[in-house]
Structures are given as C-alpha cells and as structure tokens.
C-alpha cells in the first residue's frame, strides 16, 4: 500500500523564521532602535524567500529553475537598491532569456518544447500518473486520464494552471505538491476522491469545494504554497 511522503519540516521552519525576522525588524524600526528603510528592500527579500521555499519544496529540475530564478531576481534587485550594482530595468528582461535558456538545457533530454501558446511551460514526460508541470507568465490547461494517479508537482508563477483529473483514478493515496505565486491553480477531481489540503497560504488562499464521498478509499493530499494567489479544488 502506498503511503504519502512526509511533509518537509525545513520549509515550514523557513516560513516561521522569515515571519519572525520580518516582525522583529519592523518592531525595532517602529520603536526607534533601528533606522532602516526596510520597505524598500521588502520585495526583493520576499522574492528571495519565496525562491528558497520553492527550492526546498521541489523535486524536479523545472521547480529548481523557478526557485533559482526567484532568488536571482530578488538578489539582483536587492543589490541594486543597496547601490552595490547599477542596473537599469532594461537589463532585467535578458535575465528572463537566461532563465528560459536554462530551462531548454535542462529539458533538452525530454524531446518536448518549452514554449506552447506564448508561454513558458515545462511538462516532464508523457506519463500522466506522475505530473511535473510548470507554467510561467501564462495559462496551462491539462486533462489527465490515468487509472493510477500518483501525484506530482504543479507550479504556476504569474499565471494560472487548470488541471482536470475527473477521468482519473487513485489506487490508494496520491500527493500533489503545488506552488502558486501571483496566480492560481484549479484542480478538478472525481466525486469519489477525498481531498486533504495541507497547504500554507501567504497572502493567498486554499479552498476546497468538493462533496465528501461515501468511502475513504481514494485520497488526494495537496501540499504547498499559495503566495498572493490561490488554489481551488472542486468536483
């Protein structure tokens, strides 16, 4: 019998420590013990933090590229704000090309194109039983039909993803790791699946709109993060 993977305690610790550090910095600044324009550096710091979260969560090359890209953008903006490096905003779009090029290098062995309908999309393999989907700055729609769905990983950054699992089945338990940042993920499941949400919303939300089935034989565990975005599971 398949058992779900345990939750990653490292990512949960990173979330807690980040919130504590940000709160302490604002507290010390408000009571006059620090004189920092921290609001100027909040966004690049947040991007680095979100990138670290993604790196801790992912088990795929596509997810690692997304996490590394967030860390890279946040670090460059942070160094620019500190005056250590001088870059205009026109210099940032080549970084996106570099990120896309890295995606091509990592995915060259799969024989599948990364660019579909004007978006960057990573979809590893053709086996619907274990998904690995990444959509950046665009929309992704996919219908999965497999008798033995085992989960996988879905990432949506500055865009959306719609995953239709209504024609699939689970032998016992499946775990789906999700990461939605400035966007949303919608998952449609069969009526006989039990959905368990174990996600962490950060200025976002997780929502379940499913009807409880009569039996508890088929369980879908959804884990991950919704950052200034949302995830919805419904049937």
């Amino acid at each position: 019998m398949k058992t779900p993977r345990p939750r990653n305690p490292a990512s949960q610790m990173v979330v807690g420590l980040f919130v504590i550090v940000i709160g302490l910095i604002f507290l010390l600044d408000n009571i006059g013990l620090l004189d920092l324009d921290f609001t100027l550096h909040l966004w690049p710091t947040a991007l680095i933090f979100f990138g670290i979260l993604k790196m801790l969560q992912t088990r795929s090359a596509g997810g690692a590229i997304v996490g590394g890209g967030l860390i890279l953008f946040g670090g460059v903006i942070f160094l620019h704000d500190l005056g250590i490096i001088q870059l205009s905003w026109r210099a940032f779009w080549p970084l996106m090309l570099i990120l896309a090029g890295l995606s091509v290098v990592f995915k060259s062995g799969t024989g599948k194109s990364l660019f579909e309908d004007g978006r960057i999309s990573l979809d590893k393999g053709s086996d619907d039983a274990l998904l690995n989907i990444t959509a950046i700055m665009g929309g992704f729609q996919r219908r999965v039909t497999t008798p033995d769905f085992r989960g996988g990983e879905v990432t949506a950054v500055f865009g959306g993803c719609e995953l239709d699992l209504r024609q699939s089945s689970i032998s016992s338990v499946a775990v789906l790791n999700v990461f939605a940042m400035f966007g949303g993920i919608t998952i449609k499941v069969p009526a006989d699946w039990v959905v368990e949400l174990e996600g962490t919303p950060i200025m976002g939300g997780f929502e379940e709109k499913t009807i409880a089935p009569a039996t508890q034989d088929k369980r879908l565990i959804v884990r991950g993060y919704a950052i200034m975005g949302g995830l919805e599971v419904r049937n």
Side-chain angles (χ1 to χ4, degrees):
M1 180 176 179
K2 298 177 183 178
T3 57
R5 295 175 181 173
R7 300 185 70 179
N8 188 352
S11 61
Q12 300 298 317
M13 184 176 296
V14 168
V15 174
L17 290 176
F18 179 79
V19 173
I20 292 172
V21 170
I22 296 298
L24 286 175
I25 292 176
F26 276 114
L27 176 63
L28 295 176
D29 185 54
N30 290 337
I31 64 179
L33 296 181
L34 288 178
D35 187 13
L36 296 175
D37 189 7
F38 187 69
T39 55
L40 180 64
H41 310 307
L42 181 59
W43 276 110
T45 303
L47 288 177
I48 296 173
F49 164 66
F50 298 150
I52 293 174
L53 276 185
K54 183 59 186 173
M55 294 290 285
L56 291 173
Q57 178 207 39
T58 188
R59 295 178 177 86
S60 67
I65 292 172
V66 173
L70 292 175
I71 295 173
L72 174 63
F73 280 115
V76 169
I77 296 174
F78 192 85
L79 294 176
H80 175 74
D81 291 342
L82 292 178
I84 298 177
I85 60 176
Q86 298 296 326
L87 286 176
S88 65
W89 287 105
R90 295 177 58 187
F92 282 94
W93 70 265
L95 294 178
M96 289 294 297
L97 293 179
I98 295 174
L99 180 61
L102 289 174
S103 301
V104 173
V105 171
F106 277 97
K107 299 295 290 185
S108 59
T110 64
K112 300 188 71 174
S113 174
L114 302 181
F115 299 91
E116 300 178 7
D117 301 331
R119 65 182 181 273
I120 302 175
S121 175
L122 305 177
D123 188 359
K124 183 178 181 180
S126 59
D127 185 9
D128 285 344
L130 192 61
L131 299 178
N132 181 9
I133 298 171
T134 301
I136 304 175
M137 293 189 296
F140 190 99
Q141 294 183 348
R142 179 160 176 184
R143 179 177 298 165
V144 177
T145 58
T146 175
D148 184 24
F149 181 71
R150 290 177 284 135
E153 186 173 326
V154 179
T155 302
V157 179
F158 292 101
C161 179
E162 183 175 322
L163 187 62
D164 190 347
L165 302 171
R166 290 176 295 180
Q167 298 180 28
S168 299
S169 183
I170 297 176
S171 60
S172 58
V173 181
V175 179
L176 188 64
N177 292 309
V178 297
F179 186 87
M181 179 176 173
F182 301 109
I185 298 175
T186 301
I187 304 173
K188 301 175 183 179
V189 300
D192 61 342
W193 286 16
V194 177
V195 177
E196 298 179 11
L197 295 184
E198 298 180 356
T200 302
I202 302 175
M203 291 182 284
F206 279 74
E207 188 174 6
E208 179 193 352
K209 296 181 178 180
T210 62
I211 300 174
T215 62
Q216 307 288 316
D217 298 334
K218 302 176 181 180
R219 295 168 51 215
L220 175 65
I221 301 175
V222 182
R223 297 173 178 167
Y225 302 94
I227 303 167
M228 299 182 192
L231 177 135
E232 178 185 88
V233 184
R234 57 188 172 90
N235 53 20

